[in-house]
Amino acid sequence: MKRTLAGLMLLALWLAFASFARAQDASFSDALLNDRLAVPADGQTHAFVFSPTANNLYAFQSFGAGEAEAALYLIDEPQPIDRATGFRFEARLIADATYRLEVSAQNAPVEVEVMRSALGRSFDQAIVLTEPAKGYDKSIARAYDTHWFRFTAPTSGLCSIRSSSQINTVGYLLDEAGNRLAVSDNLYSPYGLDFRIQHHLTAGRTYYVRVSGRGEETGAYHLTLALPDEGQGPPSALRLSAQTLTLEEGGTARLSYAVEPQGALGDAVFLSADPRVASVSPDGEVVALNAGQTQIILSGVAGVEARATLTVEQVPATGLELLSQSLELHAGELSELACRVLPERASNRRVRLVSSDPAVLSIDRQGRLCALKPGEAVVTVTTEDGGFQAEARVTVKREKSRYRALIMGEQRYADGRVRTGSINTAQGLADTFARQRYGGKPPEVTLNLDVSADEAVALIRAAFADAQPTDVNILYINCHGGLTGRQAWLEFHDGSRLSAKKLERMLRRIPGTIVLMIDCCQSGSFISGTAQASFNRRMAQTFFPGSGARFLSSKYRLLTSTSSVQDSWRFSSDGTDTEDAMSTAFGRSLAEAGGWDLIADKPTRLRADLNQDKRVTLHEAYLYARSRVTHFLARAGVRQDVQVYPAGSPLTLFEK
């Protein structure tokens, strides 16, 4: 009774935020479009092929003394979209389309820019820095973004323009016509990835600053403009508050500096010559990280610098503390013994663990406890530095619950009915469970397709034949189904039916917890005879006539694709009625909840893991599936309400 919604879902067009990909041309094969592209005055036409990844209006412009001509084409089209001599023009481009920009330069070389026509993204729409001394905070949020700024020099003299960020930034200083005056990539190679531009400004002239991230890097930065006051010159020397420092690992100190002569342009930056040994903030706070020696460098304008030698010493261990002196594990489990080497800043925090009974509890190479069989063992922990010791008693209990999953799907019925996508759904859920690791162990997963009711009964008995009282046995069934009178039923390959009553009588004989997931029309009738999710005794007796008390004793956990009065839907991910594109809305949602994309056949994150503990409870799976099924079917205007029993169950359904 499932129905197909061919064309229900279309793949969304994902628009990346990058301005452009690489230019493709023999002469400029390595040029990125967040760099200026040089065109020589050789009389030849140079082609740049690119694909914008965002729909937008773009500005095309040349800079330099040369006479330039340009034409923009949609790739392989003979007629240009636009052409210009000069050149400066705008064109609205389509994301992911491929364009070719042809440029020729006469008399003198030019530099070419393709810019997003928006505030701060192009030469014509630069951000005006009315108070340049305050600097500017900005973020490169999209790969290949470029930011433009404009200011007027208040006085003449040497200036320092630099960035402060965690990414590799590149800076240009340009004149009022956009021609290059200076460019900087690294402030202090190889230690500083920010840029610093030093250039002599002329009072009253307009200048542009162009900032971009190297390659695809994104992140925030602060633009600092240290402009000279009237008559202010560069420094002749920098004096640090200390020339030598000694710190223990984890220790901190602050350096300050003075500029000579007094009143000179004092813009300076602190750098660590070895970031593994120590870090230093822009205002001089030094943090000792690891034992060793490094130089703290103060880099000023005009090549002036000062250095302090920093020695970082190890912190000796003085003791050992276990966070717990007793621990319980189940056979087959791995665990770590939480301990603390004192003091907290001790340099050598390595410890050695020894088990008193390796047959009960062994220690692996990573220092983890490996529970092997029931019993007790004492673990002795010894610090590598100082030989301090502590002991913990570990009790190993019998193995935890084992998980099994039986997946059954009906696609081709003997009377000719076909439910396209059912095989894809069943296979996807089998893949989902096969990738789980319950307590570090994979479950036993069985997949069967197009079977009769008698065969289904035999398969259930075989799949769970070895079940123990502590085990979790998962049964997923995808088929036609319905409700006649007050009796729910499932229809299998040959038209034979298995009633809810008969199914329960068989399942109650299987030791352990039963997780039953029904994916068919009116499957909610396995929980309640009404459309509401009111979990009461009448509801329990609808599924288990005469045995409601046993059901309410928590042997069973149920997830159904619909309420008792709704149809269960299949849909296509791309609009085609093919097996690979089709799936049930409920089955696809469960697979995603467990970290599997059954359309793309690839793993994903545990999407239903609300608290990020790498496990998905039945309650979390229900919340995710209910929301996701509603999302999948929203465009079709149909309703399918996932049902669960009991509400709020903490039973682990998926675990990585």
Side-chain angles (χ1 to χ4, degrees), residues 74-142:
L74 191 61
I75 198 70
D76 296 331
E77 291 291 331
Q79 296 300 319
I81 297 172
D82 204 343
R83 66 168 64 247
T85 301
F87 66 87
R88 202 288 184 190
F89 64 93
E90 290 186 340
R92 188 166 294 278
L93 305 184
I94 301 172
D96 297 326
T98 304
Y99 296 89
R100 184 178 76 258
L101 178 66
E102 295 185 355
V103 183
S104 61
Q106 305 293 330
N107 304 326
V110 297
E111 293 184 320
V112 176
E113 292 243 11
V114 182
M115 301 162 283
R116 197 145 53 92
S117 187
L119 179 63
R121 299 297 193 274
S122 66
F123 175 75
D124 287 346
Q125 299 186 58
I127 297 171
V128 179
L129 300 176
T130 55
E131 298 181 89
K134 291 184 177 181
Y136 203 86
D137 289 303
K138 195 71 174 166
S139 180
I140 297 175
R142 306 173 183 180

Side-chain angles (χ1 to χ4, degrees), residues 34-35 140 144-145 167-170 211-217:
N34 66 340
D35 288 333
I140 297 175
Y144 306 113
D145 248 1
I167 64 172
N168 190 350
T169 50
V170 182
V211 181
S212 61
R214 172 60 67 192
E216 297 184 357
E217 290 193 55

Side-chain angles (χ1 to χ4, degrees), residues 401-588:
S401 300
R402 295 181 62 186
Y403 276 70
R404 298 172 181 80
L406 172 59
I407 313 297
M408 291 195 288
E410 301 292 328
Q411 174 155 306
R412 296 185 179 275
Y413 280 80
D415 60 6
R417 289 173 295 168
V418 178
R419 303 170 63 255
T420 305
S422 296
I423 292 178
N424 190 34
T425 303
Q427 181 63 63
L429 282 170
D431 292 338
T432 302
F433 281 106
R435 295 183 63 83
Q436 306 305 311
R437 293 297 181 267
Y438 302 98
K441 290 188 175 183
E444 299 173 13
V445 181
T446 306
L447 172 64
N448 292 98
L449 303 168
D450 294 343
V451 299
S452 67
D454 288 342
E455 290 171 333
V457 169
L459 289 167
I460 292 171
R461 288 172 176 165
F464 305 124
D466 297 330
Q468 300 299 314
T470 57
D471 291 349
V472 177
N473 307 296
I474 300 168
L475 174 59
Y476 168 86
I477 303 177
N478 171 13
C479 63
H480 281 307
L483 177 66
T484 302
R486 293 177 61 83
Q487 186 62 267
W489 48 265
L490 304 171
E491 184 180 0
F492 291 86
H493 168 70
D494 59 354
S496 56
R497 292 182 176 182
L498 180 62
S499 69
K501 181 177 180 179
K502 183 176 179 179
L503 179 61
E504 193 279 327
R505 285 177 178 173
M506 177 178 54
L507 292 178
R508 76 173 68 165
R509 298 187 182 96
I510 298 173
T513 299
I514 302 293
V515 179
L516 180 61
M517 296 184 287
I518 304 294
D519 194 354
C520 71
C521 292
Q522 297 178 284
S523 55
S525 58
F526 279 71
I527 293 179
S528 173
T530 65
Q532 289 75 32
S534 58
F535 304 114
N536 50 37
R537 182 172 296 276
R538 185 180 65 176
M539 173 251 353
Q541 292 174 344
T542 298
F543 179 35
F544 304 109
S547 60
R550 193 172 295 182
F551 178 67
L552 296 176
S553 67
S554 75
K555 177 178 180 62
Y556 298 98
R557 308 288 188 276
L558 286 89
L559 269 178
T560 65
S561 60
T562 72
S563 73
S564 62
V565 296
Q566 292 174 323
D567 291 328
S568 186
W569 297 87
R570 289 170 288 127
F571 74 104
S572 171
S573 62
D574 61 6
T576 62
D577 194 7
T578 61
E579 181 62 30
D580 289 344
M582 294 287 290
S583 66
T584 71
F586 180 61
R588 182 172 176 184

Side-chain angles (χ1 to χ4, degrees), residues 27-28 38-46 67 103-110:
S27 301
F28 306 99
V39 178
D42 55 8
Q44 298 183 19
T45 298
H46 297 263
E67 297 179 1
V103 183
S104 61
Q106 305 293 330
N107 304 326
V110 297

